[in-house]
Amino acid sequence: MKSYDYIVVGGGSAGCIVAARLVKEANARVLLLEAGSDEYHPVLKMPAGYMKYLASDRYLTMHQTQPQPQLNGRGVIVPQAKVLGGGSTVNAMVYMRGHRQDYEDWNHALGHEGVDWSWDSLLPHYMAIEDNDHLGAPSHGVGGPMKVSHLGHFSPLSRAYVKTMQGMGIPYSPDFNAGDPSGVGFMQHTIDWRTRKRCSVVDAFITPLRGDSRLTIASQALVKEILFEGDDAVGVRFQRHGVDETAMAEKEVILAAGAYQTPKLLMLSGVGPDEALREQGIPQRRSLPGVGANLQDHYEVPVVATTRGAWGYYGQDKGWPMMKAGLQYLLFKTGPVTTTGVESCAFFDPLSGGAIPTIQMFCVPTVYLDRDVMGENPGHGVTINSLLLRPKATGHVTLESRDAAALPRVDTQIFGHPEDLARTIAGFRFARQVIAAPPMAEMVDKEIFPGVDIRSDDEIAEHCKRMVKTGYHPVGTCRMGHRDDPMAVLSSDLRVRGLGRLRVVDASMMPNIISGNTNAVVMAVAHRAADLIMGRESVDTDSNKERAA
């Protein structure tokens, strides 16, 4: 049995940043536990490479969610990374911070007490992490470890989409990350502009510490239980290569396993809703009904059209086009391999025209849905995805069994609130207007999915229910909240309520999902969490009252 200063459970974006900072800046001995591998295929370093693994379980855990009555019995599959670096190693690399109102909503959930989680308070952490290729102060960082850049290639369809949206009254945005992402433009990505390779948290934070005796990385480690002495977390029990091991933490246990696995581990350790613990026969250590509740995600629905020419990326991953693009990338670091295939998007509110966006609309320069879904052969085309940013309905995560290897039971509640479906239908109708407006209309041949015969709200609703999918952004299942909020799991400094030496630093801490892709905010939260753990920020809460709550 070995002892460390800190144990970090989960080697994703949050866990890697917290572990690295504690080692480098606090001179701490840290054990970083990752359920997945510490190695991955080199193709994932190429910006376009992640698409090869989207449907594979090699680096992803596929969570089959519960059947949803409001989706006619469908249960969508939601992947989660199982590799060191987490989402930053396998995702589409989009760098997006959301809207400043999202963070005000966090403060509102906290009753404006304790740690200030406003946009302005978190901005220094965004900037400290970032090394931007062309944007600087006052909103962007230069010289940080995380490389952020525009893509090295844009398709004609992406450029046409941006111009079309401007013609429809959506203003051009040169920077989605300055506090209000409203508008249309080209997205930034966590890609090194010099090498045109993915910049994951492993590249940015862990690789410089490889070989440092203070950092111990244990991959293929299944954490089974948090160990306690009284109300204090003192270690973890985990299995690695079929052998059970125990590790002790002299200072804190830090949970960074994600919105599905973090609440699961808490419940396996006797921390969570009374009913969930009783159902599995787990002795209760701390009753926290909010553990696993408040699940939120972004959900998207497509409109697909064929095009009159090869304006996008269909066929670029096969035969001579693939070989040509590969050679261009290897020799010059240019061409289609330097794109993620999702280059442009727009933020707006198509239902009421409000100032805060409710839809993030992506232009994907290809037809990428399966043939058995569309009933059409794949070919040259474009897919416009309307993604719901601020869903009203919330789902939950609970235990399927006491077996730590079993996946949790995930109930998404997609379209569980009527406003969510109404906004999605409005986004769908707007997407149709986009492909019918110039200059997009000059490139588009015809809509093939769901097809122009689908017109009424009821027909569109059925299409949405059939096709809605995750945006890969689950959050909120161990949320922060005011001390009088019975569903709050964490205090404002990310401590688990009623327990000592235990924090949560991943996406499950969010009271509400942000208006955009979530990897950037998880990194900023983790960066700040390290400051909180190291005592670099004072907290205006009475810790004794927090412990007694």
Side-chain angles (χ1 to χ4, degrees), residues 61-68 70-71 73-79 260 295 297 299 396-397 400 407-414 468-470 474:
T61 297
M62 301 294 185
H63 294 83
Q64 177 62 65
T65 65
Q66 294 295 294
Q68 301 291 300
Q70 69 276 12
L71 300 184
R74 279 187 67 217
V76 301
I77 293 176
V78 184
Y260 296 151
L295 173 64
D297 197 350
Y299 304 109
H396 65 270
V397 175
E400 189 64 51
L407 296 181
R409 190 184 308 156
V410 180
D411 186 347
T412 58
Q413 285 299 307
I414 301 173
V468 65
K469 63 181 284 292
T470 178

Side-chain angles (χ1 to χ4, degrees), residues 41-202:
H41 198 285
V43 76
L44 277 171
K45 295 297 296 179
M46 303 176 184
Y50 78 100
M51 290 182 281
K52 291 285 188 182
Y53 295 97
L54 278 178
S56 167
D57 62 0
R58 183 171 178 180
Y59 303 114
L60 298 170
T61 297
M62 301 294 185
H63 294 83
Q64 177 62 65
T65 65
Q66 294 295 294
Q68 301 291 300
Q70 69 276 12
L71 300 184
N72 301 320
R74 279 187 67 217
V76 301
I77 293 176
V78 184
Q80 183 185 33
K82 57 173 181 180
V83 63
L84 191 68
S88 76
T89 298
V90 299
N91 65 8
M93 293 155 276
V94 174
Y95 183 82
M96 203 72 72
R97 298 174 178 174
H99 196 286
R100 65 171 54 245
Q101 183 60 46
D102 300 327
Y103 304 91
E104 286 304 314
D105 292 342
W106 290 10
N107 273 343
H108 180 73
L110 289 162
H112 297 275
E113 293 183 0
V115 177
D116 176 12
W117 285 96
S118 67
W119 169 272
D120 291 334
S121 71
L122 205 53
L123 182 59
H125 298 278
Y126 277 115
M127 294 179 67
I129 290 171
E130 184 180 351
D131 185 14
N132 200 287
D133 70 334
H134 74 284
L135 297 172
S139 296
H140 291 274
V142 177
M146 179 57 63
K147 310 304 179 186
V148 178
S149 70
H150 274 309
L151 295 168
H153 183 87
F154 298 106
S155 81
L157 278 169
S158 295
R159 297 179 186 277
Y161 173 78
V162 172
K163 290 184 285 187
T164 298
M165 292 290 268
Q166 291 177 77
M168 298 174 68
I170 306 296
Y172 179 74
S173 174
D175 180 13
F176 287 129
N177 292 310
D180 182 0
S182 299
V184 64
F186 299 97
M187 297 182 290
Q188 290 215 306
H189 293 72
T190 51
I191 295 172
D192 190 325
W193 67 92
R194 290 164 296 195
T195 64
R196 287 297 166 194
K197 292 181 178 180
R198 174 193 293 270
C199 183
S200 71
V201 292
V202 177

Side-chain angles (χ1 to χ4, degrees), residues 449-530:
F449 189 70
V452 294
D453 293 337
I454 304 301
R455 297 176 181 174
S456 71
D457 279 355
D458 287 344
E459 290 171 326
I460 295 172
E462 287 305 305
H463 168 71
C464 293
K465 292 173 184 178
R466 179 188 175 197
M467 291 308 304
V468 65
K469 63 181 284 292
T470 178
Y472 309 100
H473 304 148
V475 308
T477 49
C478 296
R479 68 175 176 84
M480 300 186 297
H482 189 267
R483 69 181 64 192
D484 297 326
D485 181 353
M487 297 301 289
V489 178
L490 308 178
S491 54
S492 66
D493 58 353
L494 307 179
R495 296 180 189 270
V496 177
R497 291 194 178 278
L499 299 171
R501 297 168 54 176
L502 182 63
R503 298 193 207 226
V504 174
V505 301
D506 58 33
S508 58
M509 56 71 69
M510 298 185 196
N512 50 273
I513 196 167
I514 69 156
S515 302
N517 308 66
T518 53
N519 191 52
V521 66
V522 168
M523 292 192 292
V525 166
H527 190 273
R528 187 178 205 180

Side-chain angles (χ1 to χ4, degrees), residues 270-471:
V271 180
D274 299 348
E275 183 178 351
L277 300 180
R278 282 197 302 268
E279 180 183 343
Q280 302 299 336
I282 297 174
Q284 183 190 90
R285 177 167 297 278
R286 180 70 179 178
S287 177
L288 283 177
V291 172
N294 192 50
L295 173 64
Q296 300 169 50
D297 197 350
H298 293 138
Y299 304 109
E300 60 186 24
V301 171
V303 174
V304 183
T306 55
T307 55
R308 295 188 173 96
W311 307 112
Y313 297 118
Y314 171 71
Q316 294 293 309
D317 59 345
K318 299 179 181 67
W320 169 242
M322 180 181 71
M323 295 174 63
K324 179 183 176 183
L327 286 170
Q328 183 178 357
Y329 176 75
L330 291 172
L331 292 173
F332 306 111
K333 302 301 180 189
T334 61
V337 178
T338 65
T339 179
T340 61
V342 186
E343 301 153 352
S344 58
C345 76
F347 290 87
F348 61 105
D349 179 358
L351 189 61
S352 58
I356 299 178
T358 58
I359 293 292
Q360 182 179 8
M361 187 170 286
F362 298 95
C363 175
V364 185
T366 188
V367 175
Y368 75 97
L369 297 175
D370 295 336
R371 179 181 176 183
D372 60 345
V373 172
M374 289 192 304
E376 296 277 350
N377 289 318
H380 297 295
V382 63
T383 303
I384 307 295
N385 269 334
S386 178
L387 180 140
L388 181 66
L389 285 174
R390 303 167 69 85
K392 299 284 188 182
T394 60
H396 65 270
V397 175
T398 192
L399 295 176
E400 189 64 51
S401 79
R402 293 186 66 168
D403 182 1
L407 296 181
R409 190 184 308 156
V410 180
D411 186 347
T412 58
Q413 285 299 307
I414 301 173
F415 297 154
H417 191 288
E419 188 173 312
D420 294 346
L421 181 56
R423 290 196 181 279
T424 301
I425 291 172
F428 174 92
R429 289 192 180 279
F430 197 96
R432 276 186 161 169
Q433 295 176 38
V434 172
I435 62 175
M440 284 287 286
E442 299 162 11
M443 296 178 165
V444 168
D445 181 22
K446 63 178 179 179
E447 178 187 321
I448 59 171
F449 189 70
V452 294
D453 293 337
I454 304 301
R455 297 176 181 174
S456 71
D457 279 355
D458 287 344
E459 290 171 326
I460 295 172
E462 287 305 305
H463 168 71
C464 293
K465 292 173 184 178
R466 179 188 175 197
M467 291 308 304
V468 65
K469 63 181 284 292
T470 178

